[in-house]
Amino acid sequence: QIRLVESGGASVQAGGSLTLSCTASGDIYKNVCMGWFRQVQGKEREGIAVFYTGTKNIDYTDSVKGRFTISQDSAENKVYLRMDSLEPEDTGMYYCAVDLMVRPRCSWSPSEYNFWGQGTQVTVSS
């Protein structure tokens, strides 16, 4: 029932910035965890940031702290991922996901997330 669509991916030079968006549609009746994940070729999907919409608590993985920022537009069911000072290592397919389970802290495990978008490609060149 819930559908997620990512957008905003592009090819940029190292040091550049991008803002990704995740738009949710369908019936969302409660606060949820939303996660941003990325996956590179031949690697497992990894968590970038997780966000509980109720408390607005956000956790970032160490590699993006200070560079990536999550924000929310509740009225439009959108979550944004602002990415600054991009590095080649940030290259990958970026996904947003929703976990409907109410949790004190959002999970970093992709297996906990019930709904996924199709992904948007970010390529950072040096």
Side-chain angles (χ1 to χ4, degrees):
Q1 190 75 32
I2 295 174
R3 296 170 294 278
L4 304 172
V5 179
E6 305 96 337
S7 63
S11 180
V12 299
Q13 293 181 350
S17 298
L18 286 173
T19 297
L20 308 182
S21 65
C22 174
T23 303
S25 61
D27 296 325
I28 303 176
Y29 301 113
K30 61 180 181 180
N31 293 306
V32 298
C33 285
M34 297 196 68
W36 282 100
F37 298 81
R38 71 183 173 202
Q39 190 165 28
V40 299
Q41 299 176 32
K43 302 288 186 178
E44 68 180 17
R45 194 167 297 182
E46 66 171 337
I48 301 303
V50 294
F51 170 53
Y52 180 57
T53 62
T55 61
K56 309 297 188 286
N57 184 66
I58 305 168
D59 289 321
Y60 300 92
T61 194
D62 286 343
S63 65
V64 308
K65 286 181 179 176
R67 299 190 297 120
F68 290 13
T69 305
I70 281 180
S71 61
Q72 180 187 32
D73 182 345
S74 297
E76 297 188 25
N77 288 328
K78 292 180 181 291
V79 172
Y80 301 94
L81 181 67
R82 169 78 180 190
M83 305 184 295
D84 294 312
S85 301
L86 283 163
E87 304 167 354
E89 293 78 9
D90 296 317
T91 293
M93 185 72 74
Y94 283 70
Y95 300 89
C96 65
V98 166
D99 175 12
L100 296 180
M101 183 68 67
V102 176
R103 307 178 188 274
R105 295 180 181 178
C106 294
S107 176
W108 287 100
S109 175
S111 66
E112 298 289 348
Y113 289 80
N114 309 105
F115 300 95
W116 293 82
Q118 293 298 113
T120 186
Q121 179 68 35
V122 173
T123 302
V124 184
S125 60
S126 59

